Amino acid sequence: MATKAHLARAERLQGATGALATAAMAAMDAKLPWFGTLSAQDRSWIGLVAQSGISAFVEWFRDPEAHSSMPTRIFGSAPREFTRVISLHQTVDLVRTTIETIENTIGTLLPPDDVPIVHEAMQRYAREVAFAAATVYAQAAEMRGAWDARLEALLVDSVIRGEADESVRSRASALGWAGAVGTTDSVTTGGAEVAVVVGRAPAADAPQSGHGSSNVADMVRHAAREAGADALCAVQGDRLVLVLGGTSKPVEIVQKLARWFGPGPIVVGPVVKDLMSAVTSARAAVAGLRAVAAWPGAPRPVQADELLPERSLSGDGHARRQLATDVYGPLTVGDGVLLDTVSAYLDSGGSIEATARAMFIHANTVRYRLKRVADLTGYNPQHPRDGFTLRVALTLGRLLNPEPGSTVL
């Protein structure tokens, strides 16, 4: 129980709170350059917090045991937005300035016998206030983190669903996406290029999972940015979706991130010009993940365009049109001799000599034409995997465009 002398000391300290608060505000204005740049409303909130802190100190000084939680409540008078106005470092400066002002002022406001006792109590109280400030900012950071995670998940979902609009850019910018603004510099340097990556999410009990979807997204995003790319990440059920930006070589980035995905294939969509066009990459990546089971030997990661035959067979209309237009179409130009040659080569089981005999031409002519096919389409008929792609492309091209030389639909 407090003695009469201590209660009297507390009353004298109570009478000095107004002068202490005024002196603290004057010291902030004089010692902290950034304080004067705040708006009048923000300065008034800071003054209210300072006044609340000094009054709380008096109550705590009167009976520390009865008011042990008082230091943690002094920030309750400030709005939640207060943590966005000033940083934790600036809050520490405010607390330090207030304490120094009290220590320098109480000698003129209190009797000499009260000063050392109040000074010692202030040191203990300041430590509790420092912990309270750290708690306030930690809670604010946690709330912002949870909000950012929800915003990021909505943004990735918009990309996957093809609902990207101008709001996507502003939301991505709020999350720190460097290429969201689409400035000239970002375009010329490749900063706006985007690719969507889809794979399996890690199991909840996997060592790298972080025991939560938000933790997985945080770790993948951090690893991607260390590799030199922007990243947006979300876990959608058993699927991990990653939107990479600022790189024209997403496969190289994903190779560094593969350990954060769950077991199974990882499909990288084609690179598109910006976030607004990311639905094209997302559509290809999702279709690729659905079809990749048909190619057991697919690399990890695998590009969605490497899965065009499997995607077309699984019902992906975009892959069918791409094969018919970009692979079959160039072979129909002119007299169609390249189309006839590659068709005969595939029908002969990949034998150049058999193809030459079937077409009554020299074997070197067959080799030359096959090289032209590879140059035009990007697929070498003499490679088994490319030959399979060409076979599917020829089949689809003939179905969609029965007349060689006419425009592919």
Side-chain angles (χ1 to χ4, degrees):
M1 181 178 295
T3 64
K4 292 183 177 180
H6 183 78
L7 293 176
R9 191 177 296 113
E11 289 299 324
R12 291 192 291 271
L13 183 60
Q14 177 72 51
T17 55
L20 291 174
T22 301
M25 290 296 292
M28 293 176 195
D29 199 26
K31 297 181 179 180
L32 304 177
W34 54 266
F35 184 77
T37 64
L38 298 177
S39 66
Q41 181 180 14
D42 292 334
R43 290 197 300 272
S44 68
W45 278 119
I46 291 175
L48 186 61
V49 171
Q51 177 71 45
S52 174
I54 294 172
S55 299
F57 169 63
V58 174
E59 294 300 318
W60 177 85
F61 179 79
R62 192 187 309 274
D63 191 347
E65 293 183 2
H67 301 90
S68 59
S69 64
M70 189 66 72
T72 63
R73 304 207 308 265
I74 67 171
F75 294 98
S77 57
R80 185 172 299 173
E81 292 79 6
F82 184 77
T83 56
R84 295 183 180 269
V85 175
I86 62 174
S87 66
L88 177 59
H89 177 74
Q90 291 171 329
T91 302
V92 172
D93 286 342
L94 292 176
V95 173
R96 182 186 296 113
T97 301
T98 301
I99 292 172
E100 290 177 352
T101 301
I102 293 175
E103 291 176 342
N104 296 333
T105 307
I106 56 176
T108 62
L109 299 175
L110 299 176
D113 292 344
D114 291 351
V115 173
I117 298 175
V118 174
H119 184 275
E120 181 181 355
M122 175 56 70
Q123 295 298 318
R124 292 172 53 199
Y125 184 76
R127 181 181 59 192
E128 299 299 326
V129 171
F131 284 122
T135 300
V136 168
Y137 278 83
Q139 291 173 344
E142 184 176 355
M143 292 180 63
R144 285 197 298 272
W147 170 252
D148 287 350
R150 289 193 293 270
L151 179 61
E152 187 171 15
L154 289 173
L155 182 56
V156 172
D157 185 64
S158 297
V159 170
I160 292 293
R161 293 164 62 89
E163 299 175 352
D165 54 22
E166 288 298 327
S167 65
V168 167
R169 288 183 176 175
S170 61
R171 291 172 180 172
S173 179
L175 292 171
W177 181 272
V181 179
T183 62
T184 301
D185 290 341
S186 66
V187 173
T188 57
T189 60
E193 292 176 319
V194 174
V196 177
V197 184
V198 183
R200 299 301 176 193
D205 57 350
Q208 72 274 26
S209 69
H211 304 289
S213 60
S214 61
N215 289 333
V216 172
D218 288 342
M219 291 185 288
V220 173
R221 192 187 316 109
H222 178 71
R225 289 176 178 171
E226 280 192 338
D230 278 333
L232 299 170
C233 186
V235 175
Q236 299 180 337
D238 64 346
R239 189 172 65 185
L240 180 61
V241 181
L242 178 62
V243 182
L244 288 177
T247 177
S248 59
K249 299 179 179 179
V251 174
E252 295 183 4
I253 301 295
V254 177
Q255 286 173 343
K256 301 176 182 179
L257 308 179
R259 67 190 184 94
W260 299 109
F261 287 80
I266 303 172
V267 182
V268 182
V271 175
V272 296
K273 63 180 181 178
D274 57 23
L275 197 59
M276 300 291 289
S277 308
V279 61
T280 302
S281 182
R283 185 169 53 221
V286 172
L289 186 65
R290 183 172 57 246
V292 70
W295 184 13
R300 186 178 191 263
V302 59
Q303 297 186 69
D305 283 352
E306 295 182 82
L307 293 163
L308 286 175
E310 289 80 9
R311 287 167 52 194
S312 65
L313 293 173
S314 69
D316 183 0
H318 297 281
R320 291 176 178 176
R321 285 188 291 273
Q322 188 173 342
L323 284 174
T325 301
D326 298 344
V327 181
Y328 177 80
L331 300 178
T332 64
V333 176
D335 56 7
V337 66
L338 295 181
L339 179 63
D340 293 339
T341 302
V342 71
S343 179
Y345 176 78
L346 294 174
D347 289 342
S348 69
S351 171
I352 291 179
E353 289 73 15
T355 304
R357 289 193 300 270
M359 299 187 71
F360 302 100
I361 57 177
H362 195 278
N364 285 341
T365 303
V366 175
R367 294 186 179 92
Y368 171 76
R369 291 178 181 178
L370 294 180
K371 184 178 183 302
R372 288 281 296 137
V373 170
D375 293 339
L376 281 173
T377 65
Y379 294 97
N380 187 342
Q382 295 179 277
H383 292 171
R385 175 69 191 175
D386 288 358
F388 170 63
T389 303
L390 286 165
R391 170 67 76 185
V392 175
L394 265 58
T395 302
L396 291 171
R398 288 162 179 158
L399 287 172
L400 297 176
N401 183 23
E403 295 295 330
S406 61
T407 303
V408 177
L409 298 178

